[in-house]
Amino acid sequence: MTIATKLLVLLSLTCSATAAAAAKKNHKPLAIIDVCPQKEGRWPNVTVTSQYQPVTYCVPTSTEMKNGHWKTHYPLKSTSVFVSTVIPCKYNGKTEQKCTVTTTDEEVLCRKTKTTVTTEVPVPAKTQKVSGSMITKSASTITKYKTIDYKYNAQYTHVGIMAIPGYQGCGICTECHWHNGVRTQGFNVTECHWRTRNAKTICTTYSEDGIWDLFR
């Protein structure tokens, strides 16, 4: 190898190293996460540099000591996969909002609907004495109203093409595929019933599968 060739190789290596250092210097992390907000400084922050990077968080755990006192430990136990994306959500049949998702196991409110149910309650005829005279009130009905709210949630990794109109899904769903000619979308549904502002709201949760033709 001639001296000129050696100089060219050395110059090439120097330029490559300089470019790599510059790229590393200019590369901004996606996020810096406090993995233990319950105990500041217990564990060093984690720098996230790529989508779907696993991040392990602390889980406060209390144990009883021999002297009867309790001591709280903060071991790193719960692992989530980081993601940083903004997706449409909270579709109400006409409009949608934007939601920021930061972990793949985060619940996304995909859809929400509200309906009002009316019930006619019969009131029988009634006769009563008023000022010495017998007065009869004719039979009638009373209209009662009940509002039902539905919220359709799904974990981000389970959000497919059917979950939100116009959104093509998270792209990493392993369950979002055709099966026997149909495509389904699983939801965790919260259904709440209330009659008046002062009445107690009754809510239930259940799982529900939406079929492609139902939401298309």
Side-chain angles (χ1 to χ4, degrees), residues 39-58:
K39 184 70 172 179
E40 186 177 354
R42 176 63 182 86
W43 297 100
N45 293 342
V46 171
T47 300
V48 178
T49 58
S50 63
Q51 296 277 27
Y52 307 124
Q53 177 178 326
V55 178
T56 302
Y57 297 84
C58 75

Side-chain angles (χ1 to χ4, degrees), residues 2-213:
T2 64
I3 295 177
T5 302
K6 289 182 179 180
L7 288 175
L8 287 174
V9 171
L10 180 60
L11 180 61
S12 176
L13 292 174
T14 303
C15 290
S16 298
T18 303
K24 184 176 181 180
K25 181 179 180 180
N26 295 328
H27 180 70
K28 295 182 179 180
L30 296 178
I32 297 177
I33 299 177
D34 181 359
V35 297
C36 196
Q38 301 92 335
K39 184 70 172 179
E40 186 177 354
R42 176 63 182 86
W43 297 100
N45 293 342
V46 171
T47 300
V48 178
T49 58
S50 63
Q51 296 277 27
Y52 307 124
Q53 177 178 326
V55 178
T56 302
Y57 297 84
C58 75
V59 178
T61 305
S62 296
T63 56
E64 187 175 6
M65 310 302 290
K66 291 182 179 180
N67 57 8
H69 296 289
W70 289 81
K71 184 176 182 180
T72 302
H73 304 272
Y74 300 87
L76 295 176
K77 282 187 175 182
S78 177
T79 300
S80 296
V81 179
F82 176 87
V83 65
S84 179
T85 185
V86 178
I87 67 172
C89 62
K90 302 179 182 179
Y91 178 72
N92 62 7
K94 294 181 179 180
T95 60
E96 62 190 32
Q97 300 181 34
K98 297 294 183 182
C99 290
T100 300
V101 181
T102 56
T103 60
T104 56
D105 56 1
E106 186 173 331
E107 285 278 313
V108 177
L109 176 52
C110 302
R111 297 167 175 266
K112 58 180 182 178
T113 61
K114 179 183 294 186
T115 184
T116 300
V117 178
T118 59
T119 305
E120 299 293 333
V121 179
V123 179
K126 182 179 181 181
T127 301
Q128 59 184 5
K129 190 174 183 179
V130 179
S131 300
S133 301
M134 300 302 295
I135 304 296
T136 300
K137 291 185 177 181
S138 303
S140 61
T141 59
I142 296 176
T143 303
K144 292 188 175 182
Y145 300 91
K146 179 174 66 174
T147 300
I148 307 177
D149 288 325
Y150 298 92
K151 293 182 178 179
Y152 297 84
N153 297 277
Q155 184 174 299
Y156 175 72
T157 53
H158 298 164
V159 176
I161 191 173
M162 290 177 52
I164 305 163
Y167 179 57
Q168 297 303 307
C170 65
I172 56 175
C173 179
T174 59
E175 303 171 359
C176 305
H177 53 76
W178 291 98
H179 181 68
N180 293 332
V182 297
R183 189 194 296 270
T184 60
Q185 169 66 54
F187 290 110
N188 299 318
V189 183
T190 300
E191 179 180 330
C192 294
H193 296 235
W194 56 279
R195 289 180 172 83
T196 64
R197 292 183 178 180
N198 297 325
K200 182 179 180 181
T201 301
I202 301 175
C203 297
T204 57
T205 58
Y206 52 89
S207 298
E208 181 177 292
D209 286 335
I211 301 176
W212 170 258
D213 290 336

